[in-house]
Amino acid sequence: MRSLTVLGSCGAWPEPGRACAGFLIEYDGFRVVLDLGYAALPQLLAHRPHAEVDAVVVTHQHPDHCVDVSALARVRHYEAPDAPPIPLHCPPGVVDVLRALEPNPDPATVFAVHDLATTTRLGPFTVETVALPHYVTNLGIRLTAPGVSLAYTGDSGPSDDHAKLADGTDLFIADATLQGPSPQTAPRYVMTATEAGRAARGSQRLLLTHFWPGSDRSISVAEAQAEFDGEVIAATEGLTLAL
């Protein structure tokens, strides 16, 4: 099985019945989570009742992308105390957030922590990362394995480096926090749906995510379609895409 399941699609905070950033990737039995923000853990448990994952990747330390990693630590600590630590690939600030949330169990005992910036391999995947503009260190990531290539921006402002992630991929996952014209401010740390469409050029499919709560997602899709010739999909909790 080779698939991506949306665990959360909201930015900032979750709408009722939804969750913040989170994706579950399954590739021939290897399971990796990309981000795990507010309310994303229950979504993961709906698919993996005992949180059976082989690795976790967190793009940056904002809670709408990482807070439920703390909840995942509790599941593993209490339900599988003898299991080996889960590899956690993230910027250094993420562990500080997790430790502040819950120092016992210490995140470094439940997880085997690795600096995402230096990660080159993740199970069957070759890993490439690129620093993208945000309020804190945010790493866009590209995962490549035989027959599959996908990329994820995390949470990013407009950047020429998006092309490095998107080019030649089967699926480009891009934050589309805003709608309408691009704000005329600098620096920029979040994208519009139009900018997400431009960023995805070079990929086959675009999955829009990180919608501001209350947004009409059909508007975001239409704005991205004006800039991107491939398929544009709005992330929604429980959606599974074949890879």
Side-chain angles (χ1 to χ4, degrees):
M1 181 178 181
R2 300 177 181 181
S3 64
L4 177 141
T5 299
V6 178
L7 306 177
S9 63
C10 295
W13 69 90
E15 298 177 53
R18 295 192 183 273
C20 283
F23 303 92
L24 172 64
I25 298 171
E26 301 187 67
Y27 183 94
D28 295 352
F30 184 84
R31 297 162 299 230
V32 57
V33 169
L34 297 182
D35 284 346
L36 207 62
Y38 297 120
L41 180 69
Q43 299 286 336
L44 174 63
L45 295 178
H47 300 275
R48 294 291 166 191
H50 303 288
E52 316 96 306
V53 297
D54 298 296
V56 177
V57 171
V58 175
T59 57
H60 66 287
Q61 68 191 61
H62 280 158
D64 57 336
H65 289 256
C66 77
V67 75
D68 266 20
V69 178
S70 179
L72 172 61
R74 285 194 163 203
V75 174
R76 289 296 289 246
H77 178 72
Y78 289 108
E79 292 209 344
D82 298 324
I86 306 170
L88 170 62
H89 300 260
C90 60
V94 171
V95 175
D96 295 335
V97 172
L98 299 178
R99 192 168 282 128
L101 285 167
E102 178 54 85
N104 185 24
D106 189 287
T109 64
V110 180
F111 300 106
V113 181
H114 306 274
D115 187 349
L116 180 57
T118 61
T119 298
T120 59
R121 196 80 197 174
L122 196 62
F125 294 102
T126 299
V127 178
E128 301 170 73
T129 58
V130 59
L132 296 174
H134 198 48
Y135 300 95
V136 297
T137 299
N138 172 70
L139 297 176
I141 184 170
R142 177 172 171 144
L143 300 175
T144 304
V148 171
S149 182
L150 61 91
Y152 173 45
T153 63
D155 196 358
S156 168
S159 171
D160 291 340
D161 287 331
H162 288 136
K164 299 177 184 178
L165 292 176
D167 190 40
T169 58
D170 311 309
L171 179 67
F172 188 66
I173 310 165
D175 58 291
T177 309
L178 306 178
Q179 296 175 339
S182 300
Q184 298 303 302
T185 57
R188 290 279 312 288
Y189 294 131
V190 294
M191 281 196 289
T192 67
T194 297
E195 290 164 339
R198 292 184 193 132
R201 293 171 182 172
S203 185
Q204 295 182 23
R205 292 182 292 173
L206 169 60
L207 181 64
L208 297 177
T209 191
H210 205 267
F211 300 101
W212 191 257
S215 297
D216 181 341
R217 300 181 178 199
S218 66
I219 293 174
S220 299
V221 169
E223 290 179 348
Q225 286 174 330
E227 297 290 338
F228 180 70
D229 291 336
E231 183 181 10
V232 179
I233 307 161
T236 190
E237 287 68 14
L239 173 68
T240 296
L241 301 176
L243 297 176

